[in-house]
Amino acid sequence: MSPHHLPKETALRYPWKQPWNPGFSGLSDPTNPIVYDEKTENQQNVTKQTPHGSDVHQIERRYKHFPGNNVFFLGGRFQMSTQFKAFALTLFALLFPGVLFFVFSAFWLWHHVSPAIPITFSYIYALVLVSMLKCSTSDPGILPRNSNILIYDPTHPWSVIPEDKRILVGSTRSDSAFLITTVYCHTCRLYRPPRASHCHLCDNCVEYLDHHCTWLNNCIGRRNYRYYFIFLLSLFFEALYLTVLGFYIAFASFRYGSDVNFARHLQRPWAGVSFFLGIYAALGSIFPGILLGYQCYLIGCGQNVHEFLRSKNTETEDFRPYHNSVWINFLTVLCRPKNVSYVRPRRKEMLKKLHSSAFSSVS
């Protein structure tokens, strides 16, 4: 039986069997299930022009009218912030030593030590690049903005100014519950969930916002924090591994070579480049190592960067309300399931615009 000929009782009981209606207001709700197949939809943009004084209904992808400062690529599949210069510098700092290693150093290790060493380095290096790109282009957990603008009306008895509230949240610790403050965001026009914050660079409220990383050109939130931690961990071990390999190639080739002067030995391409890579990787391992240790400390304490800085600047009753044991904190942060994007930039929605400018010349 076609969905258009379903009985009324069946349609009310099974709403997913109803035919898709572009005028249905629930389409813009991010939690509303998809009631039509987007992949087989041939028409991307459907525009209906009506006479003067009426409205125009245009169906487009959400990312084309996203209110934040994010930039979308490939039809909304990838998104980033606007700090592209810092991201390009980070990408160059990662690609530059990798290219030098595979051109000058990998062949010496392959023929003189073991092929397993450059293969192992290739795996760690690929893990660094993939986790970096995944963290930079993923939705960090942006919360959709409220489409209803709250306007205070002093003459209305039920009209109030939105303000912060204290709510009771359950706990897995010995105490049953604790009070936290939920902040009302006047930009996104919503009450932020616990552990959510507003990013002033992306202009979005992000769930479990750790910080905004300029070097990765994205916010670090609940949906991409795992990739960020894997990136720091793999980058730190890759830098240490490259430091050891670079110095080993420089000194081992000098020991088994015929050169009597080490400075003259470094004039050979594989020796000089490997020695440079050892110094480059040793200096480059300091910054990700500090960040990795800082993130491990915060995870063990049950905090993120925003909560840690806020607890240092303000006097709170319990500055670590989400702290359990160290192992449970790591399992909660790194092993929790990845939820579906709230904004869903590729979802289609109906845009309603007043069709008056097109007929202004006629009037």
Side-chain angles (χ1 to χ4, degrees):
M1 181 178 294
S2 175
H4 299 274
H5 300 86
L6 288 174
K8 183 178 180 181
E9 294 79 6
T10 306
L12 293 176
R13 186 175 181 181
Y14 306 101
W16 56 85
K17 295 184 179 180
Q18 296 181 7
W20 175 64
N21 183 11
F24 181 55
S25 59
L27 181 63
S28 60
D29 186 7
T31 62
N32 188 53
I34 300 177
V35 292
Y36 65 99
D37 192 3
E38 293 182 348
K39 295 183 179 180
T40 59
E41 189 76 21
N42 296 325
Q43 188 174 4
Q44 299 293 334
N45 299 325
V46 180
T47 306
K48 296 181 180 180
Q49 296 185 356
T50 56
H52 174 64
S54 59
D55 296 333
V56 174
H57 299 280
Q58 188 174 4
I59 302 175
E60 290 184 348
R61 304 283 185 183
R62 286 181 176 176
Y63 75 92
K64 295 183 179 180
H65 302 275
F66 189 75
N69 297 331
N70 299 79
V71 181
F72 294 87
F73 304 95
L74 298 178
R77 291 178 175 86
F78 305 103
Q79 66 179 61
M80 301 182 73
S81 186
T82 56
Q83 293 79 32
F84 292 101
K85 294 182 179 179
F87 177 75
L89 181 61
T90 305
L91 190 61
F92 174 77
L94 293 179
L95 294 178
F96 177 68
V99 172
L100 292 181
F101 176 82
F102 290 115
V103 173
F104 296 97
S105 304
F107 84 98
W108 193 92
L109 294 171
W110 186 284
H111 294 285
H112 294 81
V113 183
S114 175
I117 295 181
I119 292 177
T120 305
F121 178 84
S122 302
Y123 174 78
I124 302 176
Y125 186 69
L127 186 61
V128 171
L129 295 179
V130 171
S131 60
M132 173 191 173
L133 296 178
K134 188 66 176 178
C135 179
S136 301
T137 58
S138 299
D139 177 16
I142 299 175
L143 299 174
R145 297 190 180 185
N146 186 9
S147 59
N148 300 319
I149 302 177
L150 300 179
I151 301 177
Y152 175 67
D153 186 7
T155 61
H156 198 280
W158 295 96
S159 181
V160 295
I161 300 177
E163 57 184 8
D164 300 345
K165 295 181 179 181
R166 298 276 290 177
I167 62 174
L168 193 66
V169 178
S171 175
T172 57
R173 302 182 307 181
S174 58
D175 50 346
S176 59
F178 52 88
L179 287 171
I180 62 171
T181 303
T182 57
V183 180
Y184 181 82
C185 180
H186 294 274
T187 302
C188 301
R189 300 187 291 271
L190 53 83
Y191 282 97
R192 300 173 195 159
R195 316 194 77 175
S197 300
H198 188 87
C199 177
H200 68 281
L201 294 177
C202 297
D203 199 20
N204 296 310
C205 282
V206 181
E207 185 180 15
Y208 191 79
L209 178 62
D210 188 80
H211 66 286
H212 181 92
C213 185
T214 306
W215 305 106
L216 296 180
N217 197 19
N218 201 358
C219 289
I220 309 300
R222 176 174 180 177
R223 299 188 73 252
N224 63 347
Y225 185 85
R226 184 187 297 114
Y227 306 124
Y228 175 71
F229 188 84
I230 295 175
F231 169 70
L232 291 180
L233 184 64
S234 57
L235 179 60
F236 179 66
F237 282 106
E238 185 261 345
L240 294 181
Y241 196 36
L242 184 59
T243 302
V244 175
L245 293 180
F247 288 136
Y248 176 79
I249 294 175
F251 289 101
S253 60
F254 172 71
R255 178 182 299 179
Y256 299 106
S258 57
D259 297 327
V260 294
N261 189 358
F262 183 73
R264 187 172 183 178
H265 175 71
L266 293 180
Q267 296 179 0
R268 298 181 181 272
W270 68 88
V273 172
S274 299
F275 189 76
F276 167 76
L277 289 178
I279 300 176
Y280 182 88
L283 297 177
S285 63
I286 299 176
F287 184 63
I290 295 175
L291 288 180
L292 180 63
Y294 182 54
Q295 291 296 328
C296 291
Y297 169 76
L298 292 179
I299 294 176
C301 294
Q303 291 180 307
N304 54 33
V305 175
H306 271 274
E307 295 170 350
F308 177 77
L309 297 179
R310 193 180 300 117
S311 64
K312 295 298 182 182
N313 297 329
T314 59
E315 295 181 359
T316 57
E317 299 176 1
D318 187 2
F319 61 93
R320 291 192 298 175
Y322 306 98
H323 175 64
N324 293 281
S325 65
V326 176
W327 297 108
I328 294 180
N329 291 340
F330 272 89
L331 290 176
T332 302
V333 174
L334 301 179
C335 300
R336 59 189 171 191
K338 181 181 178 181
N339 57 340
V340 182
S341 174
Y342 296 117
V343 294
R344 296 187 181 182
R346 287 185 51 79
R347 174 76 73 85
K348 293 181 180 179
E349 68 176 358
M350 183 187 65
L351 301 176
K352 188 176 181 181
K353 299 180 180 179
L354 184 63
H355 190 63
S356 57
S357 59
F359 296 93
S360 59
S361 59
V362 179
S363 59

